[in-house]
Amino acid sequence: MYYVYLGVDVNIECKSVHNTPPDTPLINPKDPSIELPKNRLELRNRIINGPYQPQIIFPRTLMGLQYRGFLKQYYDVYKWIEYSPAKDAAFCFPCRICRGNSLNSSQIDLAFSTKGFKNWKNATKAFNNHQKTKAHNYSSESMLKLIDGNSIDVTIDESKKLQLSQRDSERLKNRDFFQRLVDITILLAKTGKPFRGHIENVNSFNKGMYKEVIELLLKYDPIFKKHMECGPRNAFYSSNRIQNDIILALYNYFQKKLSVTLQNKKISVIADETSDIGHHEQMSIVIRYFDSNLNQPVEHFVCLQRLTSVNAQSIFDSLNDVLINKLGLSWSSVIAVCFDGAATMSGYNNGVQAKCKEQNNSLMYIHCYAHCLNLVLVDSIGRKNRVVFDFFGTIQLIFAFIEGSCVRHAVLEKVARQINIKLVTLKSISTTRWACRSEAITAIATNYSALIIAIQEIYDSTKLSDVRAKAHGLIMQMQSFNFIFALNMLDPILSIILKVSSSLQSKELDLLTAVGLIKSLKHTITRYRSEDGEYDKIYDKTIHMCDENNIEVPKVKKRKVCSKVDDKQDNQYFEETKKLEMKHSCYFFALDEIMSGLNSRFHQENLELIEGIGNLVSLNPTEDNMKYFKILFNTDVNELKAEIKLLNNMTTEEVLTMKGTSTKIIHNWVHWLSEGDRSTIFNQFSIILKLFLTVPVTSCSCERSFSKLSIVKTKLRSTMNQERLDALLYMFVEQEVTNSINYDEVIEEFKILITGERRLIL
């Protein structure tokens, strides 16, 4: 037994001094006023023979520079603690008694249950950490149940219930934590942000968006903070593998949800191709169908398919894989496909169109109307018209010259402020989207005077010979009559075409309205061609600009007539004025080429459908229209005839209005039929209109996904695999879908991604 004297540990035994010579001097640094014995032998005699009451203490062990051991006050602070004199170690009584509990089997701390705790230097910290552990809490609750004295059956049953309730409580807490990880993933995915950082260790100042958002939530979210402090060290769920699993679980959830939505619906398939930053050929696939809840057609991006070969069979196999395996649909549910005009896609014999029709002979092929209009401009406003061709080349040179240098752009801004005009941003000439060239022409027309002054100032002040030569050439071109005439001629024409092109790219556009837009464009071009008033405005504006800028109007060119037309060798023919010469050689030539392109490109191969729908909404379909609807839409002709008779005899104001002309006549009919039970009464009429609205007009939804692809897959993110790219792009494109999810279903998808159980109980 060991004692303490006046609060000073002296380590002496009752019968003899422990490991200390009798003449060892004693020093009391705390209270020098107390008269101390001179050595341990005298102290021993005082304790045995004197009036002092000794206090029992625990043995001390030298750790570092100090003697340390178990302290009596531990009993007051930690009610669960016990001390073993035989092992000179501390134990946890509940953990030692209930260490066989199944809940504790993999989490029990052997230091407090079997071996004993002896690290007195860190005792307080270790005791505090131990009493926060799940194993200690389970053991304490089990011990309390055991002390209650219930029968073994009741105890076992209650123990099982306790275990299940504890496990369920833990599962709910983990799910609450996991929902926050899902929200972080959706936030980064639908905004197109990168998840990972270049360096993600503890000392990094930028660990990537995913971990940085987690650290931000740790400051303000108690659930996050509790999980990171008290949860298992191996289940923080911030690693790159967990990120990929969450992304893939979300994608699988959205795909299953889309597959369920499309069951028993008629759909159209839209596809287009592009190459990404990693030089991979990617095909974007979009599904169009009629949404009864929204009462309008909708288009949903499905996925990207990487193509290792671009022949028709490979492309069709990719489409077939998405339709059959991913969405669980069949080709019988497809009523139309929409591709561009490339021979591989649109070929009648061996193209993708032909292979789709082998699966479903009644489906329609739609050549994207926006592509068609672009091809019209490519064919008509090209190298054949030299004035227009040179004009576009000059515009591109102006853009490259001014915007290629910050100094030259600053000169243009300074000049614009000096002459008090609002500068319009210069646009580059698009090589693929010709309709957008209208914006580049408008910018040149608005900034013309400022551009002339700025380029002249650059020409006078530059010290670089090549810049001076370019500036001189641009001034000569911009101050030519042909440039001014082309500027004023193309500005109104391309403005109209741009408006039509933008309308053709709408998701809600139907085929009947698209055909109406093309017809309206044809009428406008015809009016420009037949009426002299439009040309007179263009020429007068050209002459006015030439006078303002001191530009000389060139003389009329003389041309000889071909000898096959007139045998007189000395006969010459030439226009009387420059106005007539430009009208015949440039203006009429451009309009004729545009009209020819519109007639050849928009030959309306689905004319029978468009004509039938036009007659149907006017409530006057022919017998041929009825037969066509039966073949295409499997319509009950007799029922349809009865419905049309009823509609013709209705005198309500809405029906009378819709029987007339309207820009959105089909949408008006669908809206009217959706009210009350009208769609049930006029069932066949409603079905035909909804299926017609399902037929796509353009593949611009695929083009929009390509714009998002360039944001998701960049030079710094070019090595991501196809599965991750698909998932991230889907959530980036379909942002509306990501706003409402079922967390439980996402968590179930996450659980089954790997075999075995996750480290967190979900």
Side-chain angles (χ1 to χ4, degrees):
M1 186 176 293
Y2 299 90
Y3 299 92
V4 62
Y5 176 68
L6 295 178
V8 181
D9 294 346
V10 294
N11 286 354
I12 62 171
E13 200 173 3
C14 291
K15 296 183 179 179
S16 62
V17 179
H18 178 67
N19 296 329
T20 306
D23 57 348
T24 301
L26 295 173
I27 300 175
N28 184 358
K30 295 183 179 180
D31 190 2
S33 64
I34 298 176
E35 183 180 356
L36 297 175
K38 296 179 180 179
N39 51 47
R40 292 185 179 274
L41 181 59
E42 184 178 347
L43 174 62
R44 175 179 174 278
N45 294 331
R46 287 189 184 185
I47 291 174
I48 296 173
N49 302 319
Y52 306 107
Q53 298 295 327
Q55 298 178 5
I56 299 176
I57 65 168
F58 299 92
R60 301 300 176 94
T61 304
L62 182 63
M63 294 183 176
L65 301 178
Q66 296 182 6
Y67 283 92
R68 300 180 184 275
F70 187 86
L71 301 178
K72 179 184 177 182
Q73 54 264 36
Y74 289 157
Y75 287 121
D76 299 327
V77 179
Y78 309 103
K79 303 300 182 182
W80 46 266
I81 204 165
E82 62 177 352
Y83 175 78
S84 172
K87 291 188 175 182
D88 185 23
F91 289 84
C92 174
F93 182 72
C95 291
R96 186 169 63 84
I97 296 300
C98 303
R99 61 176 178 267
N101 192 322
S102 61
L103 289 176
N104 296 345
S105 58
S106 62
Q107 302 178 8
I108 196 71
D109 191 346
L110 298 180
F112 288 94
S113 62
T114 305
K115 297 180 180 179
F117 181 83
K118 296 182 180 182
N119 185 12
W120 309 119
K121 182 178 181 181
N122 299 316
T124 302
K125 182 179 179 181
F127 295 161
N128 289 332
N129 290 337
H130 174 72
Q131 67 182 5
K132 294 178 182 178
T133 61
K134 296 177 183 177
H136 175 78
N137 293 331
Y138 291 154
S139 299
S140 299
E141 292 177 3
S142 299
M143 188 183 72
L144 291 175
K145 291 291 183 182
L146 185 64
I147 294 174
D148 287 343
N150 294 326
S151 65
I152 187 65
D153 295 336
V154 175
T155 303
I156 292 175
D157 188 51
E158 291 182 354
S159 177
K160 287 183 179 179
K161 291 181 180 179
L162 177 63
Q163 293 176 20
L164 292 175
S165 64
Q166 290 172 344
R167 186 179 182 88
D168 191 59
S169 176
E170 182 182 358
R171 183 182 66 84
L172 293 176
K173 290 179 181 178
N174 291 338
R175 287 198 169 215
D176 200 13
F177 161 74
F178 193 82
Q179 286 180 14
R180 286 156 172 78
L181 297 181
V182 172
D183 287 336
I184 293 173
T185 304
I186 291 177
L187 169 66
L188 299 180
K190 77 176 185 178
T191 54
K193 302 300 181 183
F195 280 65
R196 305 193 62 196
H198 183 62
I199 300 174
E200 296 185 345
N201 58 34
V202 179
N203 299 323
S204 174
F205 293 105
N206 184 2
K207 304 179 180 64
M209 294 290 292
Y210 187 84
K211 288 190 174 181
E212 289 293 334
V213 174
I214 287 179
E215 290 194 0
L216 177 65
L217 288 179
L218 282 174
K219 297 180 180 179
Y220 306 104
D221 193 330
I223 294 177
F224 243 106
K225 186 175 182 180
K226 184 177 180 180
H227 176 82
M228 292 301 180
E229 290 179 353
C230 304
R233 304 290 92 185
N234 61 351
F236 285 153
Y237 277 17
S238 60
S239 68
N240 60 319
R241 287 174 294 181
I242 293 297
Q243 293 174 29
N244 290 337
D245 286 348
I246 298 175
I247 292 170
L248 187 57
L250 281 166
Y251 182 59
N252 291 343
Y253 163 75
F254 289 129
Q255 289 296 301
K256 290 182 179 179
K257 189 176 179 181
L258 178 61
S259 178
V260 172
T261 303
L262 296 178
Q263 296 302 316
N264 302 320
K265 287 184 180 293
K266 293 292 184 179
I267 64 169
S268 294
V269 178
I270 307 171
D272 202 358
E273 303 166 44
T274 190
S275 58
D276 60 25
I277 193 69
H279 303 289
H280 297 161
E281 190 71 17
Q282 303 280 5
M283 180 172 66
S284 173
I285 300 175
V286 173
I287 297 296
R288 180 183 175 99
Y289 66 96
F290 189 88
D291 192 325
S292 300
N293 295 325
L294 299 176
N295 203 36
Q296 65 181 18
V298 296
E299 294 179 359
H300 272 300
F301 171 77
V302 179
C303 66
L304 283 180
Q305 287 287 97
R306 182 183 173 185
L307 301 176
T308 55
S309 177
V310 290
N311 57 57
Q313 186 61 48
S314 298
I315 295 174
F316 173 76
D317 290 342
S318 296
L319 286 173
N320 189 66
D321 178 63
V322 171
L323 191 68
I324 306 297
N325 299 328
K326 184 165 288 189
L327 296 178
L329 304 175
S330 63
W331 282 100
S332 60
S333 63
V334 180
I335 62 173
V337 291
C338 181
F339 309 134
D340 58 24
T344 304
M345 304 296 290
S346 61
Y348 287 99
N349 297 321
N350 294 315
V352 179
Q353 172 199 176
K355 296 186 181 300
C356 292
K357 287 186 176 180
E358 289 176 3
Q359 304 296 322
N360 182 1
N361 190 42
S362 63
L363 67 77
M364 295 177 289
Y365 164 68
I366 306 296
H367 184 187
C368 173
Y369 272 48
H371 277 100
C372 286
L373 184 58
N374 188 69
L375 292 173
V376 168
L377 294 178
V378 172
D379 295 339
S380 58
I381 308 179
R383 296 183 62 181
K384 295 180 181 179
N385 194 328
R386 303 302 303 179
V387 174
V388 175
F389 187 70
D390 294 342
F391 169 76
F392 281 126
T394 304
I395 286 183
Q396 184 61 25
L397 288 175
I398 294 171
F399 173 81
F401 183 76
I402 297 296
E403 301 300 332
S405 168
C406 298
V407 176
R408 294 194 286 270
H409 181 80
V411 172
L412 178 62
E413 289 183 338
K414 182 190 71 174
V415 171
R417 288 193 297 269
Q418 289 175 351
I419 64 177
N420 195 25
I421 68 167
K422 185 178 180 181
L423 193 64
V424 179
T425 304
L426 299 179
K427 306 288 184 181
S428 176
I429 296 295
S430 174
T431 56
T432 55
R433 300 170 61 195
W434 275 68
C436 294
R437 297 189 175 200
S438 173
E439 299 174 355
I441 295 173
T442 303
I444 295 295
T446 306
N447 302 331
Y448 183 80
S449 56
L451 283 169
I452 292 293
I453 298 173
I455 295 175
Q456 184 65 51
E457 183 175 332
I458 294 169
Y459 173 79
D460 295 334
S461 61
T462 185
K463 297 180 180 179
L464 301 175
S465 58
D466 60 331
V467 174
R468 182 180 174 87
K470 291 177 182 178
H472 180 68
L474 289 176
I475 292 173
M476 295 294 293
Q477 287 291 330
M478 293 182 67
Q479 291 185 333
S480 66
F481 175 81
N482 286 349
F483 182 88
I484 301 297
F485 180 81
L487 180 66
N488 291 311
M489 180 189 76
L490 291 175
D491 192 18
I493 295 174
L494 288 183
S495 296
I496 297 170
I497 295 177
L498 177 62
K499 181 64 178 178
V500 175
S501 178
S502 300
S503 300
L504 289 176
Q505 298 175 31
S506 173
K507 292 181 181 180
E508 292 76 22
L509 188 68
D510 60 81
L511 201 57
L512 195 62
T513 308
V515 172
L517 284 171
I518 298 301
K519 287 182 178 179
S520 177
L521 178 60
K522 288 181 180 180
H523 290 323
T524 304
I525 298 299
T526 303
R527 186 172 60 82
Y528 278 7
R529 179 69 170 78
S530 59
E531 296 179 6
D532 292 336
E534 294 295 335
Y535 177 74
D536 291 341
K537 292 178 184 178
I538 293 172
Y539 193 81
D540 292 343
K541 189 175 181 180
T542 301
I543 297 299
H544 179 69
M545 286 186 65
C546 289
D547 293 340
E548 284 184 345
N549 295 277
N550 298 322
I551 299 173
E552 182 181 357
V553 179
K555 296 180 180 180
V556 179
K557 293 182 180 180
K558 296 182 179 181
R559 298 182 299 172
K560 288 185 177 181
V561 179
C562 179
S563 59
K564 293 181 180 179
V565 177
D566 195 336
D567 294 335
K568 295 181 180 180
Q569 299 297 324
D570 58 346
N571 184 26
Q572 292 183 348
Y573 168 79
F574 60 91
E575 299 288 355
E576 297 179 358
T577 61
K578 188 67 178 177
K579 180 177 181 179
L580 291 175
E581 181 185 34
M582 297 303 293
K583 181 178 182 180
H584 294 147
S585 64
C586 185
Y587 181 70
F588 279 177
F589 184 80
L591 294 179
D592 290 342
E593 288 293 323
I594 293 175
M595 181 59 67
S596 175
L598 289 173
N599 291 329
S600 62
R601 293 287 179 181
F602 296 96
H603 49 79
Q604 299 179 10
E605 58 189 42
N606 299 295
L607 182 61
E608 188 175 1
L609 173 63
I610 297 169
E611 180 185 354
I613 294 295
N615 293 335
L616 181 67
V617 296
S618 299
L619 302 181
N620 189 29
T622 64
E623 287 295 329
D624 291 336
N625 296 150
M626 294 288 191
K627 293 178 181 179
Y628 184 76
F629 292 150
K630 182 177 181 180
I631 295 172
L632 187 62
F633 300 135
N634 194 24
T635 305
D636 187 333
V637 175
N638 294 327
E639 188 176 346
L640 179 60
K641 289 180 178 179
E643 292 172 3
I644 292 174
K645 288 180 180 178
L646 289 174
L647 289 171
N648 271 316
N649 292 323
M650 294 182 72
T651 57
T652 59
E653 183 179 350
E654 296 91 343
V655 174
L656 293 174
T657 302
M658 287 183 288
K659 287 168 66 176
T661 57
S662 174
T663 55
K664 293 185 177 181
I665 187 170
I666 297 181
H667 294 274
N668 293 339
W669 270 114
V670 171
H671 179 72
W672 183 79
L673 290 168
S674 65
E675 297 176 353
D677 294 332
R678 291 171 183 166
S679 60
T680 305
I681 299 172
F682 305 102
N683 183 42
Q684 296 299 316
F685 188 82
S686 176
I687 289 175
I688 292 175
L689 294 185
K690 290 178 180 179
L691 291 179
F692 179 74
L693 289 176
T694 305
V695 177
V697 177
T698 176
S699 61
C700 289
S701 292
C702 296
E703 298 282 354
R704 282 185 276 270
S705 68
F706 296 155
S707 301
K708 299 291 183 71
L709 174 62
S710 62
I711 299 175
V712 174
K713 192 170 185 179
T714 61
K715 288 183 178 180
L716 297 179
R717 306 169 70 187
S718 60
T719 58
M720 72 170 68
N721 60 40
Q722 188 69 24
E723 198 172 40
R724 177 185 170 94
L725 176 62
D726 268 355
L728 291 177
L729 187 62
Y730 180 88
M731 287 184 276
F732 193 21
V733 173
E734 298 294 334
Q735 297 180 6
E736 183 179 355
V737 177
T738 60
N739 287 333
S740 58
I741 65 170
N742 188 314
Y743 290 100
D744 291 331
E745 293 183 16
V746 174
I747 293 173
E748 293 303 320
E749 285 291 334
F750 176 79
K751 288 168 62 177
I752 63 175
L753 281 178
I754 62 170
T755 56
E757 297 212 355
R758 295 281 184 179
R759 290 177 176 174
L760 277 184
I761 301 173
L762 294 172

